Amino acid sequence: MAIQTTEVVNSNTTVYTSTDNSAITYAAFTNYTGATISVDIHVVPSGGSVGNVNCVVKGLEITAADTYQLYAGGEKLLLSNNDFISAISNVATGVNSVISYTGI
């Protein structure tokens, strides 16, 4: 397994891109500030672009110093080559993502 960490900013931010086929085993988004931050999360197929059709979480409000787990408890998100996860927050800094993945 491997881990990828990314700062989510106020423009579409790719937090993970699959190489070959992979399984996301853990995905968390943490607000490390003192104020609530809103986040949108998208799972985009290879060749696609971020849009309403691939939005899996819209307007998620992560309160100050809190973490939201997108996948937990044994769930997996299976991705093909070049599929990707993108996130955008309503502020320039304050949210980071931690993605754990493994090749399949």
Side-chain angles (χ1 to χ4, degrees):
M1 274 196 232
I3 296 174
Q4 182 167 325
T5 60
T6 308
E7 176 79 18
V8 177
V9 298
N10 58 349
S11 61
N12 290 325
T13 307
T14 299
V15 297
Y16 176 74
T17 301
S18 180
T19 302
D20 297 323
N21 295 322
S22 61
I24 303 297
T25 58
Y26 177 84
F29 295 83
T30 300
N31 174 354
Y32 58 83
T33 71
T36 298
I37 296 177
S38 178
V39 176
D40 296 347
I41 304 168
H42 299 260
V43 177
V44 185
S46 177
S49 58
V50 171
N52 289 332
V53 69
N54 49 43
C55 186
V56 295
V57 178
K58 179 77 172 170
L60 171 68
E61 292 192 347
I62 306 174
T63 57
D66 200 5
T67 298
Y68 175 78
Q69 285 184 264
L70 184 59
Y71 295 97
E75 297 176 17
K76 309 278 187 293
L77 176 64
L78 305 179
L79 300 175
S80 295
N81 193 47
N82 290 322
D83 292 350
F84 65 97
I85 300 172
S86 179
I88 183 171
S89 72
N90 66 330
V91 296
T93 61
V95 173
N96 73 301
S97 70
V98 176
I99 310 292
S100 177
Y101 62 93
T102 188
I104 53 173

